[in-house]
Amino acid sequence: QKEVEQNSGPLSVPEGAIASLNCTYSDRGSQSFFWYRQYSGKSPELIMFIYSNGDKEDGRFTAQLNKASQYVSLLIRDSQPSDSATYLCAVNGNNFNKFYFGSGTKLNVKP
Amino acid sequence: DTEVTQTPKHLVMGMTNKKSLKCEQHMGHRAMYWYKQKAKKPPELMFVYSYEKLSINESVPSRFSPECPNSSLLNLHLHALQPEDSALYLCASSHGITDTQYFGPGTRLTVL
């Protein structure tokens, strides 16, 4: 079982719609959860991080964490073509300090 | 300022060459990382330095040799690489080893 799992996609949504990206993790003791956006050929760029159960909003982005179910999601409201990228979920392990990346979900926002 | 810089941006080397990748941050971060990323794959952790000491070495071949001269600098020395080592090499840093990591722009390495 992989430490962090994501649907590879591609996920296609029309411009202006809500894009929903999901991630599950295996280490129940994980404390920190991150979403990175990566454009083709570029390095990962931090979008959001979340530590506590519930929702965290930042502009058009909302991260949701449910530790009981071991999943974390990212909602992108009013999706724009410029949001088209691969979104990487990352989780910081509990006892050790390992930073596990999911395989990423490719998002396509169609004009 | 959340900038991590890496040089060079691109590197082409032969299998007998010796080269080094460099990474620098001035955010006062005490943890620095090297990742390797192949096309359409997530970054794979190679090395982690915490307070200038190597704390993780993910069984990376010895042809990759990390060095942390001080808290702001991280090098990756390359020797006798193979074509399959061609990839994007990413440096990242964080305040502590459990904190948010910020990535540099990467070095695109091609081994001929």
Side-chain angles (χ1 to χ4, degrees):
Chain A
Q1 182 186 8
K2 292 183 180 179
E3 288 83 5
V4 181
E5 301 222 37
Q6 293 180 256
N7 187 325
S8 61
L11 173 66
S12 292
V13 300
E15 184 175 357
I18 295 176
S20 178
L21 305 163
N22 300 310
C23 169
T24 59
Y25 60 95
S26 60
D27 183 351
R28 187 168 285 279
S30 297
Q31 300 291 326
S32 315
F33 308 86
F34 307 85
W35 283 100
Y36 286 84
R37 176 177 63 197
Q38 188 171 26
Y39 293 110
S40 181
K42 301 294 185 182
S43 62
E45 172 193 9
L46 181 70
I47 297 295
M48 294 200 64
F49 61 88
I50 186 167
Y51 301 135
S52 305
N53 273 331
D55 294 0
K56 179 181 179 183
E57 186 174 321
D58 183 2
R60 296 187 296 113
F61 300 95
T62 300
Q64 299 174 318
L65 175 61
N66 184 323
K67 289 188 177 181
S69 300
Q70 294 176 241
Y71 83 78
V72 56
S73 62
L74 179 70
L75 300 178
I76 306 175
R77 289 181 300 282
D78 188 23
S79 296
Q80 302 297 308
S82 58
D83 295 326
S84 298
T86 295
Y87 288 80
L88 297 163
C89 173
V91 175
N92 223 325
N94 183 26
N95 293 331
F96 176 90
N97 309 311
K98 272 205 172 181
F99 206 70
Y100 297 105
F101 277 97
S103 56
T105 298
K106 186 172 175 59
L107 173 65
N108 290 329
V109 181
K110 299 182 178 180
Chain B
D1 181 12
T2 56
E3 188 178 29
V4 177
T5 59
Q6 289 187 243
T7 56
K9 289 185 179 180
H10 301 276
L11 178 62
V12 179
M13 59 187 291
M15 289 189 284
T16 59
N17 293 158
K18 283 186 181 181
K19 297 287 185 182
S20 296
L21 308 184
K22 297 185 184 301
C23 174
E24 189 168 5
Q25 56 87 15
H26 295 288
M27 296 178 277
H29 289 175
R30 302 313 299 264
M32 296 186 76
Y33 311 76
W34 280 116
Y35 287 87
K36 173 183 176 181
Q37 188 175 25
K38 302 283 274 186
K40 300 187 188 303
K41 297 290 186 183
E44 298 173 38
L45 185 65
M46 300 174 73
F47 302 104
V48 180
Y49 274 84
S50 178
Y51 289 85
E52 296 143 59
K53 292 186 178 179
L54 183 64
S55 64
I56 300 179
N57 176 343
E58 291 288 353
S59 302
V60 177
S62 60
R63 56 186 184 268
F64 295 92
S65 174
E67 179 195 17
C68 189
N70 60 55
S71 60
S72 300
L73 294 174
L74 186 66
N75 298 323
L76 186 62
H77 302 298
L78 314 173
H79 174 55
L81 295 193
Q82 303 297 309
E84 59 264 29
D85 296 321
S86 299
L88 180 67
Y89 286 83
L90 295 162
C91 174
S93 72
S94 61
H95 278 293
I97 208 160
T98 59
D99 295 319
T100 304
Q101 294 183 24
Y102 295 92
F103 284 82
T107 294
R108 176 72 60 187
L109 174 67
T110 303
V111 182
L112 301 176

